[in-house]
Amino acid sequence: MADPPPSAWLTAAMSPPSKLGCASHSGVCRDISMKRVGPAPTGGRSMEELQQEREGVKLKEDLQFYFMSPCDKYRARRQIPWKLALQLLKIVMVTTQLVLFGLNNQLVVSFKEENTMAFKHLFLKGYTGVDEDDYSRTIYTQKDLYDNLFYVIHQYHQIRNLSLGTVDYDNDAKKKKGLKICKQHYHRKSVLPYNDTFYIDPTVETECLHVDQEQHMKGHSQDLLLANSSFFSLEFHRLIKVEISFRLKGIDLQTIRVRELPDCYLFHNRITFDNQAHSGKMKIFFNSDATIQDCKDWHVSGSIQKNTHYTLVFDGFVILVCLTSLILCTRSIVLAVRLQRRFVRFFLNNYNHHVCSSDRLEFINGWYVMVIISDLMTIVGSVMKMEIKAKNLTSYDVCSLLLGTSTLLVWVGVIRYLGYFQKYNVLILTMQASLPKVLRFCCCAGMIYLGYTFCGWIVLGPYHEKFEDLNTVAECLFSLVNGDDMFATFAQIQQKSTLVWLFSRLYLYSFISLFIYMILSLFIALITDSYETIKNYQQNGFPKTDLHKFLHGGDYLFSTPNSENRGMSMASLICCCHRTQEDDDLILINTGPTRTRN
């Protein structure tokens, strides 16, 4: 068999993979002396040796092609980069879909918030529009409690004549609950503060008064109070809380302005007078949970229905594009796994060498995994969006979560294609190199952070509002690490206890000094060190592993059509610009997220 001339093969000068090292099953990748895998004289060799050489040449060809960029694949075999085109198309379509859904969701959120604010002004006596922390109002006298209770009942009775919005009573024939008033109190309680004695039975009893919708609409609110005077005779030393709940219905008509079908809402309103502390300060909480329901009988004239159909068709096209991308990426991962098995089997059979785990991971493209997750989330989110558009579903929050996360992953996934060039690949390689060290460092720093969190909560909690609960303490300390709100944190500590005040100074100064001047600086130094390492590798070459040695062990690669004598087609111009020979060393074997060894 005559050897093919060297001119019949294409020499590809490719840089090593984006890796810092390699770990084998025994700990370190061993240097192995590889046989030449390529065309060579065949005299005096058995058919088995020739078959191994042909297998090695074929494997190297497939590996070289697998680790090429989309543009190089097009130049080598005229393979059109369908996945790249789909990703670019997905960016435009998914972002457009997200913006359209976000504008619609914004109307839903604004309608709920504005109705909640309107309900507070309607049912809370003396409400000024400013909430006090996590509650709406505070009262301090028995008269204030009775006035607010009767005020809610009266306003509910007159809601049709008072509200400016499209709200009314819930007249569902099966659920005509009307107004529900419940009070909770201890079974028995006797408190005599003047001689420091008390007797209490902690058993909690609940009494409720149900006012049917028809009964409430026929009678007057004053008649209701007189008929249930015993219920409204409150024993304040036993009283824990009073809760008033009622339901109202409304229709959101503002969506018509953006050619959307109106939504029908059911508002579950609950007003709570909280007296659990028995401190003389009663907090009033107002909660309104809005749920979207199907409108039973509606008719809208004009082009709104046609606009809804156009949106559903667009969502269906997004699902089709994402499904195609999902199939292509899944196919690429399956082919990569098969190629990995071929490579591992070839090394084991010909060199009696086990391929290290890092080289195995080079075949698993993490970007494809991320794209698959993004496609699945986009498909599910688009189906939910279509159901919401057709008024068959009301899960706005779940749909927003799916579409928002998928759009984030789509935009991040484009970095993969920029990573084929050295000038744009620094961010990806630095993140890969620094991630293991950063995670280990964060585990150690997190222990110190949790210690400060628990200590600040138990010691400073009674004297500082930012340390009242663990969640607030963690947020406060994180703000201090970033240099936010330092003076206010120092100044707001109450000076009721000299010992606690002195401890707060020691606590805050030590935390700020430790985390800002030491831990945060070390954190930045870890990333800077990884960046310098990557820059050095890009200048002097990456450490060679078994995969690199195999790819660069021969002098020839697979043959390709002579594209130099062929004019560039329109697809070639669209795919990428012409690249000179000097630019070949900028191509990395694999820029997908892989595990690195430091």
Side-chain angles (χ1 to χ4, degrees):
M1 181 182 297
D3 296 332
S7 59
W9 300 87
L10 175 65
T11 302
M14 304 181 68
S15 301
S18 54
K19 296 164 59 66
L20 299 182
C22 178
S24 68
H25 68 286
S26 60
V28 179
C29 282
R30 299 181 285 109
D31 259 340
I32 59 175
S33 58
M34 300 182 186
K35 303 175 183 178
R36 172 185 175 87
V37 182
T42 61
R45 288 184 296 175
S46 64
M47 292 299 295
E48 182 180 355
E49 291 178 347
L50 294 176
Q51 180 65 26
Q52 290 178 355
E53 287 189 4
R54 285 194 291 267
E55 181 184 354
V57 171
K58 179 60 177 176
L59 177 60
K60 180 180 289 188
E61 292 176 1
D62 294 339
L63 289 174
Q64 296 277 13
F65 186 76
Y66 174 74
F67 288 116
M68 280 184 177
S69 67
C71 295
D72 288 327
K73 290 181 179 179
Y74 177 80
R75 278 191 288 266
R77 296 182 180 177
R78 287 296 184 265
Q79 176 175 307
I80 300 176
W82 295 110
K83 290 191 291 293
L84 173 59
L86 278 176
Q87 299 310 311
L88 297 178
L89 179 62
K90 274 173 53 182
I91 287 180
V92 177
M93 299 189 65
V94 172
T95 304
T96 303
Q97 181 191 47
L98 181 72
V99 171
L100 294 176
F101 180 74
L103 294 175
N104 185 30
N105 194 27
Q106 185 178 357
L107 296 177
V108 175
V109 173
S110 64
F111 183 76
K112 292 180 180 180
E113 291 180 349
E114 291 174 4
N115 272 275
T116 300
M117 183 61 64
F119 290 151
K120 288 183 178 181
H121 281 277
L122 284 173
F123 297 105
L124 299 182
K125 185 177 182 180
Y127 182 72
T128 59
V130 179
D131 292 340
E132 304 177 16
D133 294 334
D134 59 340
Y135 47 91
S136 301
R137 282 205 60 212
T138 305
I139 55 177
Y140 298 92
T141 65
Q142 298 179 14
K143 182 178 182 302
D144 289 339
L145 175 58
Y146 281 116
D147 289 345
N148 281 271
L149 280 175
F150 300 153
Y151 183 81
V152 172
I153 298 174
H154 179 267
Q155 293 294 99
Y156 179 78
H157 182 75
Q158 299 291 331
I159 188 64
R160 289 179 173 175
N161 302 324
L162 296 176
S163 177
L164 295 173
T166 57
V167 295
D168 203 345
Y169 302 111
D170 179 18
N171 291 328
D172 192 338
K174 298 181 180 179
K175 301 179 180 179
K176 289 187 178 181
K177 295 183 178 180
L179 196 68
K180 178 182 178 182
I181 307 173
C182 294
K183 61 178 182 178
Q184 290 185 1
H185 52 78
Y186 294 114
H187 178 67
R188 182 180 300 174
K189 181 179 179 182
S190 176
V191 180
L192 301 175
Y194 68 90
N195 62 355
D196 300 328
T197 59
F198 67 90
Y199 175 77
I200 183 172
D201 182 355
T203 304
V204 177
E205 296 180 344
T206 302
E207 297 182 28
C208 293
L209 174 64
H210 296 269
V211 182
D212 294 337
Q213 188 61 49
E214 297 180 356
Q215 176 184 354
H216 188 79
M217 295 177 64
K218 292 180 180 179
H220 194 271
S221 58
Q222 194 66 28
D223 299 333
L224 173 66
L225 301 178
L226 295 176
N228 300 276
S229 58
S230 60
F231 178 83
F232 291 103
S233 297
L234 304 176
E235 299 181 46
F236 292 94
H237 62 279
R238 297 172 54 203
L239 183 65
I240 299 176
K241 69 177 181 180
V242 179
E243 184 175 284
I244 304 177
S245 58
F246 55 91
R247 307 196 310 177
L248 296 173
K249 285 191 173 183
I251 301 177
D252 184 11
L253 298 178
Q254 64 176 336
T255 56
I256 297 180
R257 296 186 290 105
V258 292
R259 298 183 180 276
E260 294 282 345
L261 293 176
D263 293 319
C264 295
Y265 288 82
L266 178 62
F267 297 95
H268 301 264
N269 300 316
R270 184 173 65 257
I271 304 175
T272 304
F273 300 84
D274 190 0
N275 192 43
Q276 297 184 63
H278 287 86
S279 61
K281 176 182 178 180
M282 181 177 288
K283 301 176 183 179
I284 303 177
F285 297 89
F286 184 92
N287 295 314
S288 181
D289 297 327
T291 56
I292 303 178
Q293 295 183 329
D294 296 335
C295 296
K296 297 179 180 179
D297 186 14
W298 57 270
H299 175 73
V300 180
S301 59
S303 60
I304 293 181
Q305 192 69 21
K306 183 183 298 185
N307 180 74
T308 302
H309 293 331
Y310 290 154
T311 306
L312 294 177
V313 171
F314 177 76
D315 292 334
F317 189 56
V318 171
I319 294 176
L320 180 62
V321 172
C322 291
L323 186 60
T324 305
S325 173
L326 175 65
I327 295 174
L328 291 178
C329 291
T330 304
R331 173 181 172 272
S332 297
I333 291 181
V334 173
L335 295 178
V337 172
R338 293 178 179 176
L339 185 61
Q340 179 204 65
R341 293 176 179 175
R342 284 179 55 196
F343 178 70
V344 172
R345 185 170 56 252
F346 179 83
F347 259 58
L348 188 62
N349 295 337
N350 292 272
Y351 306 122
N352 195 24
H353 176 73
H354 293 277
V355 178
C356 57
S357 58
S358 294
D359 277 346
R360 292 172 183 263
L361 289 177
E362 284 285 355
F363 293 87
I364 307 302
N365 197 322
W367 296 109
Y368 288 157
V369 177
M370 187 175 65
V371 171
I372 290 175
I373 296 175
S374 172
D375 290 336
L376 289 175
M377 298 182 73
T378 303
I379 292 173
V380 177
S382 299
V383 172
M384 295 185 65
K385 180 177 179 294
M386 295 174 69
E387 292 295 317
I388 292 175
K389 192 74 175 178
K391 305 306 176 184
N392 297 326
L393 200 64
T394 60
S395 303
Y396 277 89
D397 293 338
V398 178
C399 185
S400 300
L401 177 64
L402 293 173
L403 293 181
T405 306
S406 64
T407 305
L408 170 64
L409 296 179
V410 167
W411 279 95
V412 173
V414 181
I415 300 178
R416 169 182 180 253
Y417 299 100
L418 296 177
Y420 282 108
F421 304 96
Q422 187 180 31
K423 294 183 179 179
Y424 298 98
N425 202 28
V426 178
L427 174 62
I428 301 174
L429 297 181
T430 303
M431 291 176 61
Q432 293 176 6
S434 62
L435 183 61
K437 294 184 291 185
V438 167
L439 292 178
R440 290 192 294 267
F441 182 81
C442 289
C443 289
C444 298
M447 302 301 175
I448 305 176
Y449 189 86
L450 288 176
Y452 271 92
T453 300
F454 286 110
C455 179
W457 171 57
I458 197 64
V459 178
L460 304 181
Y463 302 93
H464 201 299
E465 61 179 5
K466 293 183 179 180
F467 292 83
E468 291 181 352
D469 57 79
L470 285 173
N471 184 47
T472 307
V473 175
E475 294 172 354
C476 176
L477 294 182
F478 187 79
S479 299
L480 291 177
V481 171
N482 292 277
D484 296 335
D485 212 19
M486 283 191 179
F487 177 77
T489 305
F490 278 94
Q492 291 178 5
I493 186 72
Q494 301 177 14
Q495 301 185 18
K496 295 181 179 180
S497 174
T498 304
L499 179 62
V500 174
W501 186 85
L502 292 175
F503 176 82
S504 68
R505 266 45 194 170
L506 176 63
Y507 173 86
L508 293 174
Y509 278 121
S510 63
F511 177 82
I512 293 173
S513 302
L514 179 62
F515 273 83
I516 291 183
Y517 303 133
M518 183 178 295
I519 294 179
L520 191 59
S521 299
L522 289 175
F523 183 84
I524 298 174
L526 289 176
I527 301 177
T528 305
D529 178 68
S530 300
Y531 174 77
E532 294 297 333
T533 303
I534 294 300
K535 294 291 291 183
N536 180 56
Y537 283 155
Q538 287 183 336
Q539 294 175 0
N540 303 323
F542 287 83
K544 290 187 178 296
T545 64
D546 297 344
L547 179 60
H548 308 142
K549 294 175 182 178
F550 179 74
L551 290 175
H552 297 278
D555 297 332
Y556 310 109
L557 295 175
F558 54 92
S559 59
T560 57
N562 187 7
S563 58
E564 296 180 358
N565 300 329
R566 181 181 305 176
M568 291 186 66
S569 62
M570 182 59 65
S572 176
L573 293 174
I574 296 176
C575 173
C576 55
C577 298
H578 180 68
R579 179 171 52 85
T580 61
Q581 185 69 22
E582 289 76 8
D583 296 331
D584 285 346
D585 59 343
L586 302 183
I587 302 175
L588 299 176
I589 289 182
N590 189 2
T591 57
T594 57
R595 188 175 62 183
T596 59
R597 177 178 177 268
N598 300 288

